[in-house]
Amino acid sequence: MSKVELYKDVKNSLGEGITWSSIDQSLLWVDIKPKSVLFRIDLDNEKLETFDLPDFVTATSIISKNEIALVSNNGVNKFNFQSKKYERIINVEDDILTNRSNDGASDVMGRLWFGTMQNNFDKHGESIPIKENIGKLYRVYKDNIITTVEDNLGIPNTFVWSPDNKNFYFTDTLDGNIM
């Protein structure tokens, strides 16, 4: 039996979107709230950096050593660690005010996959019940072309691929299904 230990107590409200960067041996994630915080820890020297974000960010994906894709409410953004520039690159569901982004990850081909769901937070960050399966699963190609893969989802979560990359799995937490 392995012993689980707390590595760093960063006091996240809701830590999500964890991503490993093999480029610089760092671990990245966000504390999702109305104005999220991006965390990056270099595991070689244990240096922890935080970056305040102007948006509700729920998922991360590595673009390059200095840039990361951040999925936020109604879009996909690019963040540059050196310039601290946060820039919208794709709008998603701008016309659906009741939805927000949720989990996401990138596959070995560099495509970003992410889901949307009924927003379960009010404007103060307090929880509200989810009543509808109005979320979608999206795939973004490197040229920023976005396609809808699935719809009528509750809470798209847990984006993983089989070791041979032939199968993609995700869950709908609201329904308790693995697809």
Side-chain angles (χ1 to χ4, degrees):
M1 179 70 76
S2 297
K3 181 180 176 189
V4 176
E5 295 180 38
L6 178 63
Y7 180 69
K8 294 271 185 200
D9 190 359
V10 295
K11 309 268 190 252
N12 284 171
S13 300
L14 181 55
E16 287 276 3
I18 193 163
T19 301
W20 170 251
S21 173
S22 59
I23 296 170
D24 61 3
Q25 304 300 299
S26 64
L27 195 61
L28 301 108
W29 72 94
V30 289
D31 186 12
I32 68 170
K33 46 191 171 183
K35 298 223 178 197
S36 297
V37 178
L38 173 64
F39 290 78
R40 179 170 71 171
I41 187 163
D42 181 324
L43 295 182
D44 287 336
N45 63 23
E46 297 191 19
K47 179 183 176 189
L48 176 67
E49 297 175 282
T50 60
F51 305 89
D52 292 326
L53 301 172
D55 212 349
F56 187 92
V57 175
T58 60
T60 63
S61 178
I62 306 301
I63 297 174
S64 67
K65 181 175 179 165
N66 292 315
E67 291 184 322
I68 187 170
L70 300 172
V71 178
S72 70
N73 274 358
N74 307 107
V76 178
N77 311 277
K78 183 169 48 173
F79 179 76
N80 184 293
F81 289 106
Q82 291 180 323
S83 68
K84 313 292 187 282
K85 183 178 179 185
Y86 181 89
E87 171 188 13
R88 175 67 50 97
I89 54 176
I90 302 171
N91 291 323
V92 178
E93 296 186 6
D94 282 340
D95 57 335
I96 306 174
L97 301 177
T98 56
N99 278 11
R100 71 167 178 86
S101 63
N102 201 46
D103 203 3
S106 289
D107 64 19
V108 297
M109 295 175 65
R111 299 174 300 186
L112 173 62
W113 298 67
F114 68 93
T116 60
M117 60 180 275
Q118 180 186 343
N119 193 357
N120 62 328
F121 296 109
D122 67 17
K123 65 181 179 179
H124 305 292
E126 300 297 319
S127 265
I128 55 177
I130 298 171
K131 298 178 179 176
E132 299 179 79
N133 286 8
I134 56 175
K136 293 182 180 179
L137 173 65
Y138 292 99
R139 179 180 53 223
V140 181
Y141 290 87
K142 287 186 177 185
D143 54 5
N144 294 339
I145 293 177
I146 187 167
T147 58
T148 303
V149 178
E150 294 281 338
D151 56 13
N152 300 314
L153 298 172
I155 306 172
N157 257 324
T158 318
F159 294 64
V160 295
W161 289 262
S162 63
D164 63 5
N165 291 299
K166 291 182 179 178
N167 295 300
F168 166 63
Y169 302 94
F170 76 101
T171 61
D172 186 337
T173 304
L174 190 61
D175 294 339
N177 292 321
I178 299 172
M179 294 174 247

Coordinates of all heavy atoms in Angstrom, one line a residue, residues 15-52:
G15 N -9.1 23.0 -7.3 CA -8.0 22.8 -8.2 C -8.4 21.9 -9.3 O -9.0 20.8 -9.1
E16 N -8.2 22.3 -10.6 CA -8.6 21.6 -11.8 C -7.6 21.8 -12.9 O -6.6 22.6 -12.8 CB -9.9 22.1 -12.3 CG -11.1 21.7 -11.4 CD -11.7 20.4 -11.8 OE1 -11.1 19.6 -12.6 OE2 -12.7 20.0 -11.1
G17 N -7.8 21.0 -14.0 CA -7.0 21.2 -15.2 C -5.5 20.9 -15.1 O -4.7 21.6 -15.7
I18 N -5.2 19.9 -14.3 CA -3.8 19.6 -14.1 C -3.1 19.1 -15.4 O -3.7 18.3 -16.1 CB -3.6 18.6 -12.9 CG1 -2.1 18.6 -12.5 CG2 -4.2 17.3 -13.3 CD1 -2.0 18.0 -11.1
T19 N -1.9 19.6 -15.6 CA -1.2 19.3 -16.9 C 0.3 19.2 -16.5 O 0.8 20.0 -15.8 CB -1.4 20.3 -18.0 OG1 -2.8 20.5 -18.2 CG2 -0.7 20.0 -19.2
W20 N 0.9 18.1 -17.1 CA 2.4 17.9 -16.9 C 3.1 18.5 -18.2 O 2.7 18.2 -19.3 CB 2.7 16.4 -16.8 CG 4.2 16.1 -16.9 CD1 4.8 15.5 -17.9 CD2 5.2 16.5 -15.9 NE1 6.1 15.4 -17.6 CE2 6.4 16.0 -16.4 CE3 5.2 17.1 -14.7 CZ2 7.6 16.2 -15.7 CZ3 6.3 17.3 -14.0 CH2 7.5 16.8 -14.5
S21 N 4.1 19.3 -18.0 CA 4.9 19.8 -19.1 C 6.2 19.1 -19.1 O 7.1 19.3 -18.2 CB 5.1 21.3 -19.0 OG 6.0 21.7 -20.0
S22 N 6.4 18.2 -20.1 CA 7.7 17.5 -20.2 C 8.8 18.5 -20.7 O 10.0 18.2 -20.7 CB 7.6 16.3 -21.1 OG 7.1 16.6 -22.3
I23 N 8.3 19.6 -21.3 CA 9.3 20.6 -21.8 C 10.2 21.2 -20.8 O 11.4 21.3 -20.9 CB 8.5 21.7 -22.6 CG1 7.7 21.2 -23.8 CG2 9.5 22.8 -23.0 CD1 6.8 22.2 -24.4
D24 N 9.5 21.5 -19.6 CA 10.3 22.1 -18.5 C 10.1 21.5 -17.2 O 10.4 22.0 -16.2 CB 10.0 23.6 -18.5 CG 8.6 23.9 -18.2 OD1 7.8 23.0 -18.0 OD2 8.3 25.1 -18.1
Q25 N 9.6 20.2 -17.2 CA 9.5 19.4 -16.0 C 8.6 20.2 -14.9 O 9.0 20.2 -13.8 CB 10.8 19.0 -15.4 CG 11.7 18.3 -16.4 CD 11.1 17.0 -16.9 OE1 10.8 16.1 -16.1 NE2 10.8 16.9 -18.1
S26 N 7.5 20.7 -15.4 CA 6.7 21.5 -14.4 C 5.2 20.9 -14.5 O 4.8 20.3 -15.4 CB 6.7 23.0 -14.8 OG 6.1 23.2 -16.0
L27 N 4.6 21.1 -13.4 CA 3.2 20.7 -13.2 C 2.3 22.0 -13.2 O 2.7 23.0 -12.4 CB 3.0 19.9 -11.9 CG 1.8 19.1 -11.7 CD1 1.6 18.1 -12.8 CD2 1.8 18.5 -10.3
L28 N 1.3 22.1 -14.0 CA 0.4 23.3 -14.0 C -1.0 22.9 -13.7 O -1.5 21.8 -14.0 CB 0.4 23.8 -15.4 CG 1.8 24.3 -15.9 CD1 2.3 23.3 -17.0 CD2 1.8 25.7 -16.4
W29 N -1.7 23.8 -13.1 CA -3.2 23.6 -12.8 C -3.8 25.0 -12.4 O -3.0 26.0 -12.3 CB -3.4 22.6 -11.6 CG -3.0 23.1 -10.3 CD1 -3.9 23.7 -9.3 CD2 -1.7 23.1 -9.7 NE1 -3.2 24.0 -8.2 CE2 -1.9 23.6 -8.4 CE3 -0.5 22.6 -10.1 CZ2 -0.8 23.7 -7.5 CZ3 0.6 22.8 -9.2 CH2 0.4 23.3 -7.9
V30 N -5.1 25.0 -12.4 CA -5.8 26.2 -12.0 C -6.7 26.0 -10.8 O -7.2 24.9 -10.6 CB -6.6 26.8 -13.2 CG1 -5.8 27.3 -14.3 CG2 -7.6 25.8 -13.7
D31 N -6.8 27.1 -10.0 CA -7.8 27.1 -8.9 C -9.0 27.9 -9.6 O -8.9 29.1 -9.9 CB -7.3 27.8 -7.7 CG -8.2 27.8 -6.5 OD1 -9.2 27.0 -6.6 OD2 -8.0 28.5 -5.6
I32 N -10.1 27.1 -9.9 CA -11.2 27.7 -10.6 C -12.1 28.5 -9.7 O -12.5 28.0 -8.6 CB -11.9 26.7 -11.5 CG1 -12.7 25.7 -10.7 CG2 -11.0 26.0 -12.5 CD1 -13.6 24.9 -11.6
K33 N -12.3 29.7 -10.0 CA -13.2 30.6 -9.3 C -13.5 31.8 -10.3 O -12.9 31.8 -11.4 CB -12.6 31.1 -8.0 CG -11.2 31.5 -8.0 CD -10.7 31.6 -6.6 CE -9.2 31.8 -6.6 NZ -8.7 31.9 -5.2
P34 N -14.3 32.7 -9.9 CA -14.7 33.8 -10.9 C -13.4 34.4 -11.6 O -13.5 34.8 -12.7 CB -15.5 34.8 -10.1 CG -16.2 33.9 -9.1 CD -15.2 32.8 -8.7
K35 N -12.4 34.6 -10.8 CA -11.1 35.0 -11.4 C -10.1 34.0 -11.0 O -9.6 34.0 -9.8 CB -10.7 36.4 -11.0 CG -11.7 37.5 -11.4 CD -11.1 38.7 -11.9 CE -12.2 39.6 -12.4 NZ -11.7 40.6 -13.2
S36 N -9.7 33.1 -11.8 CA -8.9 31.9 -11.5 C -7.5 32.3 -11.3 O -7.0 33.4 -11.7 CB -9.0 30.9 -12.6 OG -10.3 30.4 -12.7
V37 N -6.7 31.4 -10.7 CA -5.3 31.5 -10.4 C -4.6 30.3 -11.1 O -5.0 29.2 -10.9 CB -4.9 31.6 -8.9 CG1 -3.4 31.6 -8.7 CG2 -5.6 32.7 -8.3
L38 N -3.6 30.6 -11.9 CA -2.8 29.5 -12.6 C -1.6 29.2 -11.7 O -0.9 30.2 -11.2 CB -2.4 30.0 -13.9 CG -1.4 29.1 -14.7 CD1 -2.0 27.8 -15.0 CD2 -0.9 29.8 -16.0
F39 N -1.3 28.0 -11.4 CA -0.2 27.5 -10.6 C 0.8 26.8 -11.5 O 0.3 26.0 -12.4 CB -0.6 26.6 -9.5 CG -1.4 27.3 -8.4 CD1 -2.8 27.6 -8.6 CD2 -0.8 27.6 -7.2 CE1 -3.5 28.2 -7.6 CE2 -1.5 28.2 -6.2 CZ -2.9 28.5 -6.4
R40 N 2.1 27.0 -11.4 CA 3.1 26.3 -12.1 C 4.2 26.0 -11.1 O 4.7 26.9 -10.4 CB 3.6 27.1 -13.2 CG 4.8 26.3 -14.0 CD 5.1 26.9 -15.3 NE 5.9 28.2 -15.1 CZ 6.5 28.9 -16.0 NH1 6.4 28.4 -17.3 NH2 7.1 30.0 -15.8
I41 N 4.5 24.7 -10.9 CA 5.6 24.3 -10.0 C 6.6 23.5 -10.8 O 6.3 22.6 -11.5 CB 5.1 23.5 -8.8 CG1 6.2 23.2 -7.8 CG2 4.4 22.2 -9.2 CD1 5.8 22.8 -6.5
D42 N 7.9 24.0 -10.7 CA 9.0 23.3 -11.3 C 9.4 22.2 -10.4 O 9.9 22.5 -9.2 CB 10.1 24.3 -11.5 CG 11.4 23.7 -12.2 OD1 11.7 22.5 -11.9 OD2 12.0 24.4 -13.0
L43 N 9.3 20.9 -10.8 CA 9.6 19.8 -9.8 C 11.0 19.6 -9.6 O 11.4 18.9 -8.7 CB 8.8 18.6 -10.3 CG 7.3 18.7 -10.3 CD1 6.7 17.3 -10.7 CD2 6.8 19.1 -8.9
D44 N 11.9 20.1 -10.5 CA 13.3 20.0 -10.3 C 13.8 20.9 -9.1 O 14.6 20.4 -8.3 CB 14.1 20.4 -11.6 CG 14.0 19.3 -12.6 OD1 13.7 18.2 -12.3 OD2 14.2 19.7 -13.8
N45 N 13.3 22.1 -9.0 CA 13.8 23.0 -7.9 C 12.7 23.4 -7.0 O 12.9 24.2 -6.1 CB 14.4 24.2 -8.5 CG 13.5 25.1 -9.3 OD1 12.3 25.0 -9.2 ND2 14.0 25.9 -10.2
E46 N 11.5 22.8 -7.1 CA 10.3 23.1 -6.3 C 9.9 24.5 -6.3 O 9.2 25.0 -5.4 CB 10.6 22.5 -4.9 CG 10.8 21.1 -4.8 CD 10.8 20.5 -3.4 OE1 10.2 21.1 -2.5 OE2 11.3 19.4 -3.3
K47 N 10.2 25.3 -7.3 CA 9.8 26.7 -7.4 C 8.3 26.7 -7.8 O 7.9 26.2 -8.8 CB 10.7 27.4 -8.4 CG 10.3 28.9 -8.6 CD 11.1 29.5 -9.7 CE 10.6 31.0 -9.9 NZ 11.2 31.6 -11.1
L48 N 7.5 27.4 -7.0 CA 6.1 27.5 -7.3 C 5.8 29.0 -7.7 O 6.2 29.9 -7.1 CB 5.3 27.2 -6.0 CG 3.8 27.5 -6.1 CD1 3.1 26.5 -7.1 CD2 3.1 27.4 -4.7
E49 N 5.1 29.1 -8.9 CA 4.7 30.4 -9.4 C 3.2 30.4 -9.4 O 2.6 29.4 -9.7 CB 5.3 30.7 -10.8 CG 6.8 30.7 -10.9 CD 7.2 30.8 -12.3 OE1 7.2 29.8 -13.0 OE2 7.5 32.0 -12.7
T50 N 2.6 31.6 -9.2 CA 1.2 31.8 -9.4 C 0.9 33.0 -10.3 O 1.7 33.9 -10.3 CB 0.4 32.0 -8.1 OG1 0.9 33.2 -7.4 CG2 0.6 30.8 -7.1
F51 N -0.2 32.9 -11.1 CA -0.5 33.9 -12.0 C -2.0 34.2 -11.9 O -2.8 33.3 -12.1 CB -0.2 33.5 -13.5 CG 1.2 33.1 -13.6 CD1 1.6 31.7 -13.4 CD2 2.2 34.0 -14.0 CE1 2.9 31.3 -13.6 CE2 3.5 33.6 -14.2 CZ 3.9 32.2 -14.0
D52 N -2.4 35.4 -11.5 CA -3.8 35.8 -11.5 C -4.3 35.9 -12.9 O -3.7 36.5 -13.8 CB -4.0 37.1 -10.7 CG -3.6 37.0 -9.3 OD1 -3.9 35.9 -8.7 OD2 -3.1 38.0 -8.7

